[in-house]
Amino acid sequence: MTAQHTPTPPGPVLLRAGRIITRPDQPPVELGAVLIDGDRIVAVGPTTEFEGAAGGATVMDIPAATVMPGLINVHVHLSFDVTTDPRPALEAGDLATLEHTVRSNARALLDGGVTTARDLGDRDGLVASYRAQVQAGQLLGPTMLTARSPLTAPKGHCWFLGGEIDLNGTAVENRRTVDAAVARHLAGGADVIKVMTSGGMMTPAGAPMWQSQFSEQDLALIVASAREHGLPVAGHAHGADAMAACAKAGVNTIEHGGWLAPPDADGAMGYAPSEEIAEIIARTGIAVVPTRAREWETWPPEARLDLQLAKLAWNDQHGIRLVAGNDAGVGQGYFDTLVDTVTQFHAAGWTHARALATATTEAAHALGLGAQIGQLTPGYRADLLVLGSNPLEDLHALADIQHVITGGRVHTPGAPSHN
Ligand SMILES: [Zn+2]
């Protein structure tokens, strides 16, 4: 491990900063303070309100810094090795190697300011095991939610993660199949059921990205079973048809959401956004996680970038809630650069504050954790970033991290390590 640990002082800690962003849609508190006790935020306000009230607290004076809520990455794969083809390592299933990958990727998340992340696909409960080590105090890391193995068709997208289900039986058999899979996930600590509704890039012999693997009826069955077990559903859907199935079945989040259609005669991928489906997604509050932002500032504008920004803006204009997730682990998707996702939203027309919300308040809401994380409010979890500059003026401040506080414990990142 290259990053340093700053020992967390016992007892309450009072941070006195130049500026506190309690939540992006509120004006920041200039010369503000946050009082933390254990893993909770106790009080937030102007420093003057804390004169004498901090008796016994260790004081951290950071007058040049901006303090804001820790970032939330809604879509990562901790067990994927950040190469263009993570599949061989996953298929081989060498658990010691994969455990090492999980730990180093989780450390990179923390270095990049992410204090909560949702893992949307691993194998053998690797993320649940990692989380248990963090909860036992053996490791310092972000809070992890896990989907365990994504449900997929036989030999379908990412089948090698262990989540194949065959829904070619009778209605009764299919229901039994889905219930068994959901119950197994729940028993293994799953927080969400992930369904590979469409094909994807990592499974060459599987369905193409634009094509659906599950019908609307299949998905409705999965959503109903997950709900009965108290779990939300994340639907992987690149294609417009898969997005339609997800929207009609009532999933909680749509992952990727590229409105893809079959390629044309020249092989160029089709793009088929639907007003009707967008209306359902917006009305029912399904969050969409675009995932395509890595190093976008270096993309050629005339090709991918203009289309990507136009897609984001189209979704926003149709009232769809977009939240930050970058598919870290896949195809050189870095764990410490969620800043790229936030700056991309800004480039597509979001204000600084709205772009920040996609990785804080809005992301927390999409995960059903809006009353626990994503803002600096008394009673919320003590997940904070200490930045060298103000992200409400320049979002690249998210890469100027001095400290990351996760559940009240202070982490000081080392140099960026993704090269
Ligand atoms: Zn993914």
Side-chain angles (χ1 to χ4, degrees), residues 75 77 194 256 327:
H75 189 138
H77 298 276
K194 165 90 175 288
H256 313 301
D327 217 356

Side-chain angles (χ1 to χ4, degrees), residues 115-282:
T115 50
T116 300
R118 183 175 64 158
D119 189 284
L120 287 182
D122 68 353
R123 55 170 294 172
D124 297 295
L126 285 156
V127 174
S129 304
Y130 167 79
R131 174 171 64 190
Q133 290 176 283
V134 172
Q135 285 170 345
Q138 294 157 356
L139 295 170
L140 184 65
T143 301
M144 292 302 307
L145 307 183
T146 177
R148 296 184 63 100
S149 308
L151 302 186
T152 192
K155 289 288 177 251
H157 182 47
C158 288
W159 63 269
F160 44 84
L161 297 176
E164 291 169 291
I165 52 169
D166 186 348
L167 298 185
N168 289 311
T170 65
V172 172
E173 286 165 348
N174 291 348
R175 178 68 203 222
R176 208 176 288 141
T177 300
V178 171
D179 280 343
V182 171
R184 202 163 52 241
H185 278 64
L186 186 63
D191 303 285
V192 55
I193 296 297
K194 165 90 175 288
V195 191
M196 296 301 199
T197 313
S198 76
M201 279 180 290
M202 272 175 57
T203 316
M209 281 170 76
W210 50 266
Q211 197 173 81
S212 297
Q213 304 193 131
F214 290 112
S215 68
E216 195 184 313
Q217 291 77 3
D218 294 340
L219 268 186
L221 189 59
I222 291 166
V223 170
S225 178
R227 290 270 150 75
E228 280 177 26
H229 288 82
L231 293 177
V233 174
H236 160 106
H238 289 291
D241 289 350
M243 289 175 73
C246 283
K248 290 176 182 169
V251 303
N252 298 79
T253 61
I254 291 176
E255 308 302 316
H256 313 301
W259 300 108
L260 297 187
D264 63 20
D266 300 327
M269 192 67 81
Y271 169 55
S274 157
E275 303 265 348
E276 180 208 339
I277 300 306
E279 189 277 324
I280 297 173
I281 293 171

